[in-house]
Amino acid sequence: MLRLVLVGIVALLLSSCGSRTGFSQEDGDTLHLQYSSLLTIVRHHGYTQVDIRNPWKEGMLLHTYILVPRQEELPPNLPHGTIIRTPVERAAVFTTVHCSLLNTLGCGENIVAVADLKYIKIPFIQEQVRKGKISDCGNGLSPVVEKIMDVKPEVIMLSPFENSGGYGKLEDIAIPLVECAEYMETSPLARAEWMKFYGMLLGEESQADSLFDVVDKNYQQLKAQAQKTSEGRSVLIDKMVGSVWYVPGGKSTIGQMIKDAGGRYAWKDDDHSGSLSLPFEAVLEKAGDAEVWLYRYSSDHQQSYQELLSEYRGYRQLQAFADRNVYGCNVERSLFYEESPFRPDWLLGDFIQILHPDMTFNIPLRYYQKLNE
């Protein structure tokens, strides 16, 4: 008898642990996600549970959200998680990419506060801040909490980071923090698929679903087009920042996109979904002979080879530099950061054009431009 009781207790504990981590869903309708490996969305009667897996700790949850329609009473016996009433009508948004997505979904008016305004190049947001309709809360790492509280947002959308040490005073003001971890997905479409979650938050689920269908279809068509041709050129990504070169990992969204574009990438077998910080010598040894070099920069004008060389003399040793096959993406004059995370089909189009110079395209490059002499 005692043995049966102990077995029952163990089973109950295992069951409750499964529910607490969010990886065991015995009832409800699970939303089919085609690509995301971090999101699990389950509809229940009266609420929707959204689990975000921790991308840095295998088997653990980063956060659980319980979305409850605002016109309904809170259901009894809700699972543990952060309750958010939907649709969200007032949001503080700390990243330019999510400001852009909300604007695309027709929810720009829902933004009541932003952080790091100098990095947000969206005309609508800048205008609303000037009019006093959106509050500028300062630095995203240490925002002015009083300004956030003054505008009474229902959620704060921000990006989590590994070993960040938490969110400081933001954790003490009883406003739900929506941890936007989609950048840690391992494929461009998996990252873009998070728009479905954000659409749910904002009451624009149907529009988000329709937009993702367009993105998915375009991306797959471009990928198939690239696969029908011969192998693309080898490519090197980004450049030195201080004393290190942050190289996209083989499992990163950029690493996957290079593969989908039919390009050859020296770190294709690397298993990091983030970036690798390497000295120039390591990059030169592994990818110094890459045929094409793509990098991002911030400037009020298009860079030249001489200007690039003035930043770091070692660049002259790169084959792509010597062959004048360097393409720069000026993030001040393009909407790279605002658009590409949720429109990877547009970025893939650039990659394919650059990596397959023999292919014919009827549209110009959207983000990258070949450097001038």
Side-chain angles (χ1 to χ4, degrees), residues 211-222:
L211 176 59
F212 182 74
D213 287 344
V214 171
V215 172
D216 186 20
K217 181 180 178 180
N218 290 347
Y219 193 99
Q220 296 297 352
Q221 287 177 344
L222 286 166

Side-chain angles (χ1 to χ4, degrees), residues 362-373:
N362 297 321
I363 56 174
L365 292 170
R366 189 179 188 92
Y367 303 112
Y368 287 90
Q369 300 296 327
K370 200 165 188 178
L371 258 60
N372 295 322
E373 282 296 334

Side-chain angles (χ1 to χ4, degrees), residues 43-240:
R43 300 183 194 277
H44 299 269
H45 180 68
Y47 70 94
T48 298
Q49 180 172 336
V50 180
D51 288 334
I52 301 178
R53 288 176 171 80
N54 192 318
W56 302 288
K57 295 180 180 178
E58 187 174 355
M60 300 292 289
L61 276 183
L62 180 68
H63 214 127
T64 292
Y65 297 99
I66 308 299
L67 311 184
V68 182
R70 65 170 59 247
Q71 73 273 15
E72 298 182 10
E73 292 186 9
L74 285 178
N77 303 316
L78 284 174
H80 178 73
T82 299
I83 296 174
I84 298 177
R85 289 291 198 159
T86 59
V88 169
E89 296 176 348
R90 301 175 65 82
V93 185
F94 280 16
T95 59
T96 185
V97 60
H98 297 102
C99 284
S100 179
L101 178 64
L102 264 64
N103 214 26
T104 299
L105 294 177
C107 299
E109 299 281 356
N110 298 55
I111 302 173
V112 296
V114 296
D116 295 320
L117 179 63
K118 65 181 179 180
Y119 298 118
I120 300 176
K121 301 193 302 296
I122 304 167
F124 172 79
I125 300 297
Q126 294 286 344
E127 180 184 359
Q128 294 296 88
V129 171
R130 285 195 297 270
K131 290 180 177 179
K133 294 184 177 181
I134 293 179
S135 178
D136 175 7
C137 299
N139 189 309
L141 296 177
S142 56
V144 182
V145 173
E146 292 75 15
K147 287 189 174 183
I148 297 175
M149 296 177 67
D150 284 345
V151 295
K152 298 179 174 59
E154 296 163 352
V155 298
I156 300 173
M157 299 178 66
L158 39 67
S159 292
F161 297 97
E162 185 178 16
N163 302 320
S164 66
Y167 300 105
K169 293 181 179 179
L170 291 178
E171 296 178 348
D172 301 327
I173 60 176
I175 299 174
L177 303 179
V178 177
E179 299 192 270
C180 304
E182 75 276 351
Y183 73 97
M184 287 301 297
E185 291 279 5
T186 57
S187 78
L189 289 174
R191 182 178 188 178
E193 195 168 26
W194 276 57
M195 71 173 71
K196 295 183 178 182
F197 168 42
Y198 301 134
M200 285 183 174
L201 284 176
L202 297 158
E204 295 293 345
E205 183 176 352
S206 177
Q207 185 171 345
D209 289 348
S210 296
L211 176 59
F212 182 74
D213 287 344
V214 171
V215 172
D216 186 20
K217 181 180 178 180
N218 290 347
Y219 193 99
Q220 296 297 352
Q221 287 177 344
L222 286 166
K223 178 181 174 181
Q225 187 178 1
Q227 291 177 342
K228 291 178 181 178
T229 67
S230 58
E231 189 175 41
R233 297 191 286 187
S234 54
V235 61
L236 177 62
I237 299 291
D238 286 333
K239 61 177 180 141
M240 295 289 290

